[in-house]
Amino acid sequence: MPVQVQTAIFDPGQLLNALHRDQLGVGAVVGFVGYVRDFNDGQEVAGMLLEHYPGMTEKALQKIVREAEERWPLSCVDVVHRVGKLEPGEPIVFVGVSSAHRSASFEASHFIIDYLKTRAPFWKKEDTAEGPRWVDAREGDQTALDKWAPRS
Amino acid sequence: MPVQVQTAIFDPGQLLNALHRDQLGVGAVVGFVGYVRDFNDGQEVAGMLLEHYPGMTEKALQKIVREAEERWPLSCVDVVHRVGKLEPGEPIVFVGVSSAHRSASFEASHFIIDYLKTRAPFWKKEDTAEGPRWVDAREGDQTALDKWAPRS
Amino acid sequence: MITVQFFARYRELLNQDQAHMHWDEHLDTVGALRNRLVDRGEPWILLSEPRLMCARNQELCNLDEPLRDGDEIAFFPPVTGG
Amino acid sequence: MITVQFFARYRELLNQDQAHMHWDEHLDTVGALRNRLVDRGEPWILLSEPRLMCARNQELCNLDEPLRDGDEIAFFPPVTGG
């Protein structure tokens, strides 16, 4: 099960270690963890609510993982994304990739989180001192995709 | 202590989690783990001995970490590298980076392992069925540095 | 029948997460459906914002995506997960 | 006095991990030191391989690096850690 959407908190270290376990052909594991920060866009953040599109979310993530698997020779991929109520300091998302060599693991995990940021149906609503606010999409998340465009 | 050279095995997951602990400004952690594979360059590998240059090793790693810190806005960096006798499946190296945003964490950790591979004084000697052999440097490790050259 | 879903800011401003609409031959694309909703006036006009994203049967699509009776369509603002 | 260290394959083939040499004014670079060792013939000739790496006082350097009395110099094959 390479893709998991859940309300429960998770342990990033455990997920990182699980990507290698007993696979003696794996030389390189890369794990990315996104955390809730206590500050964003100039405001203190006391927590957030993560909304998603049940049904579509898992499909969107699986499609992104399949695209990565077509592009790089990977052993295992693991994506866990939380929804619901989150506190500052809690992990939001884990993207882990194992492979024989390091460049595939680095590039595939970076690719997956870049695509997740612009293609997977999640929306963050932050609690700030001025009340709740929907997080605005970052321009940089779109331009981050440029590096994955096929080279001519 | 961002750099550690040791014979003892380590727990990559624990190191990954430690990069975030209690730092509410950290939004993105990337951890890379290199493992001993049971197969390399066409031969089965039963284990390896990792030689290093005591005294220089720590300095070389610290210099690479400093270069990364000058290049990207990072919160914490952690590099652990083992020496001595290693078995297939054991972790060799951990490179972890925390930062406010993901691109800095990805790029800095990738940069550090690429430089470590070509600049830090470690040498692997593998045990194979045909006896021990020194691992040959990979051409690809040199060319991997090209992507970090200053853009003109 | 077309099922239309709204998420996040759209869901809040439209004060509904779901609508059902009868399909007809003029509703031949997801964009035509969007336009029919926008024509209702406030607050539906917000669906005319250029950054609107849409999905047909739970897959991202463009506004020129063909629409068929029975489809599940979703409109939502740019995603902000991860 | 110059301390010269050898690692990995070089250490094994030279059958020593360390040598001490008197400094003189002709030993003005790390490369000059390397050449003097290579001039000893077998097995020292292996230090002439183009991929040789060197360090002066525990920092990577090139063969044109100036050499001073008291320096710690190391010669080693391309590194393979990580």
Side-chain angles (χ1 to χ4, degrees):
Chain A
M1 182 66 169
V3 155
Q4 183 77 30
V5 178
Q6 61 184 48
T7 53
I9 200 163
F10 59 82
D11 179 343
Q14 210 176 340
L15 297 176
L16 185 80
N17 288 345
L19 277 163
H20 176 266
R21 215 172 309 284
D22 298 333
Q23 290 178 84
L24 298 180
V26 163
V29 171
V30 171
F32 167 82
V33 196
Y35 288 93
V36 183
R37 291 188 298 150
D38 61 352
F39 202 84
N40 189 30
D41 277 340
Q43 291 235 333
E44 281 191 40
V45 174
M48 66 165 65
L49 205 59
L50 245 158
E51 179 169 334
H52 77 128
Y53 181 174
M56 176 172 166
T57 315
E58 291 82 356
K59 284 181 202 169
L61 295 176
Q62 272 154 3
K63 190 176 175 189
I64 295 166
V65 169
R66 271 199 310 275
E67 280 178 38
E69 286 170 336
E70 281 163 17
R71 236 167 131 150
W72 292 277
L74 308 179
S75 300
C76 293
V77 177
D78 188 25
V79 178
V80 180
H81 201 297
R82 292 178 65 204
V83 293
K85 206 166 153 39
L86 281 83
E87 307 285 333
E90 289 187 0
I92 307 173
V93 59
F94 176 83
V95 175
V97 171
S98 64
S99 181
H101 298 291
R102 72 186 183 282
S103 63
S105 293
F106 269 110
E107 291 175 16
S109 53
H110 200 166
F111 171 93
I112 289 169
I113 185 68
D114 278 357
Y115 272 76
L116 185 158
K117 285 259 178 191
T118 52
R119 305 276 173 92
F122 295 102
W123 301 272
K124 287 177 184 150
K125 192 176 191 180
E126 293 173 340
D127 299 321
T128 75
E130 296 178 11
R133 65 169 179 189
W134 289 102
V135 172
D136 214 19
R138 296 173 63 219
E139 183 95 22
D141 285 335
Q142 275 299 329
T143 56
L145 295 187
D146 295 348
K147 66 175 163 298
W148 306 115
R151 282 160 208 130
S152 57
Chain B
M1 181 67 167
V3 156
Q4 184 76 31
V5 178
Q6 62 184 48
T7 53
I9 200 162
F10 58 82
D11 178 344
Q14 212 177 336
L15 298 175
L16 185 81
N17 287 346
L19 277 163
H20 175 267
R21 217 175 307 285
D22 298 331
Q23 290 178 83
L24 299 180
V26 163
V29 171
V30 171
F32 167 82
V33 196
Y35 288 93
V36 183
R37 290 187 298 148
D38 61 351
F39 201 84
N40 190 28
D41 276 341
Q43 291 234 333
E44 280 191 41
V45 174
M48 66 166 64
L49 205 59
L50 244 157
E51 179 170 334
H52 77 127
Y53 181 173
M56 174 170 167
T57 315
E58 291 81 356
K59 285 182 201 166
L61 295 176
Q62 271 155 5
K63 191 177 175 189
I64 295 167
V65 169
R66 272 200 309 277
E67 281 178 38
E69 286 171 337
E70 281 163 18
R71 234 167 132 150
W72 291 277
L74 308 179
S75 300
C76 292
V77 177
D78 188 26
V79 178
V80 180
H81 202 296
R82 292 177 67 203
V83 292
K85 205 167 152 40
L86 281 84
E87 308 284 334
E90 289 187 2
I92 306 174
V93 59
F94 176 83
V95 175
V97 171
S98 64
S99 181
H101 299 292
R102 73 185 183 284
S103 63
S105 293
F106 268 109
E107 291 175 16
S109 53
H110 200 166
F111 171 93
I112 289 169
I113 185 67
D114 278 356
Y115 272 75
L116 185 157
K117 285 259 175 190
T118 52
R119 304 277 174 92
F122 295 102
W123 301 272
K124 287 177 184 150
K125 192 176 191 180
E126 294 174 339
D127 299 321
T128 74
E130 296 177 11
R133 63 167 182 193
W134 289 102
V135 171
D136 213 20
R138 295 173 64 219
E139 182 95 22
D141 286 334
Q142 275 299 331
T143 55
L145 296 185
D146 296 347
K147 64 175 163 300
W148 307 115
R151 281 162 208 127
S152 56
Chain C
M1 191 79 90
I2 309 282
T3 305
V4 193
Q5 304 211 52
F6 310 104
F7 291 96
R9 188 162 45 84
Y10 294 175
R11 177 181 54 71
E12 285 188 348
L13 293 170
L14 298 173
N15 205 25
Q16 59 189 291
D17 56 8
Q18 199 164 326
H20 295 282
M21 292 175 70
H22 285 286
W23 183 83
D24 65 58
E25 63 203 1
H26 299 293
L27 286 181
D28 53 350
T29 64
V30 173
L33 175 67
R34 191 269 299 257
N35 293 342
R36 190 164 301 175
L37 290 166
V38 167
D39 286 346
R40 293 175 173 180
E42 289 294 351
W44 297 91
I45 253 149
L46 76 95
L47 296 181
S48 63
E49 72 173 14
R51 300 189 312 162
L52 164 133
M53 292 180 76
C54 47
R56 176 175 171 237
N57 298 328
Q58 308 190 342
E59 273 209 42
L60 286 185
C61 68
N62 294 316
L63 289 170
D64 59 4
E65 177 81 9
L67 186 68
R68 306 230 188 293
D69 199 9
D71 279 350
E72 173 181 318
I73 303 301
F75 293 113
F76 42 83
V79 301
T80 56
Chain D
M1 191 80 89
I2 309 282
T3 304
V4 193
Q5 304 210 53
F6 310 104
F7 291 96
R9 188 162 44 84
Y10 294 176
R11 176 181 54 70
E12 284 187 347
L13 293 171
L14 298 174
N15 205 25
Q16 60 188 291
D17 57 7
Q18 199 164 324
H20 295 282
M21 293 173 70
H22 285 286
W23 183 83
D24 65 59
E25 63 202 2
H26 299 294
L27 285 181
D28 55 348
T29 63
V30 173
L33 175 68
R34 191 269 297 256
N35 293 342
R36 189 163 303 176
L37 290 167
V38 167
D39 286 346
R40 294 177 174 179
E42 288 294 350
W44 298 90
I45 251 148
L46 75 93
L47 297 180
S48 62
E49 70 172 20
R51 299 189 313 162
L52 164 133
M53 293 180 76
C54 46
R56 176 176 171 238
N57 298 329
Q58 308 189 343
E59 273 210 42
L60 286 185
C61 67
N62 294 316
L63 289 171
D64 58 5
E65 177 81 9
L67 185 68
R68 306 232 189 292
D69 199 9
D71 279 350
E72 173 182 317
I73 304 301
F75 293 112
F76 42 83
V79 301
T80 56

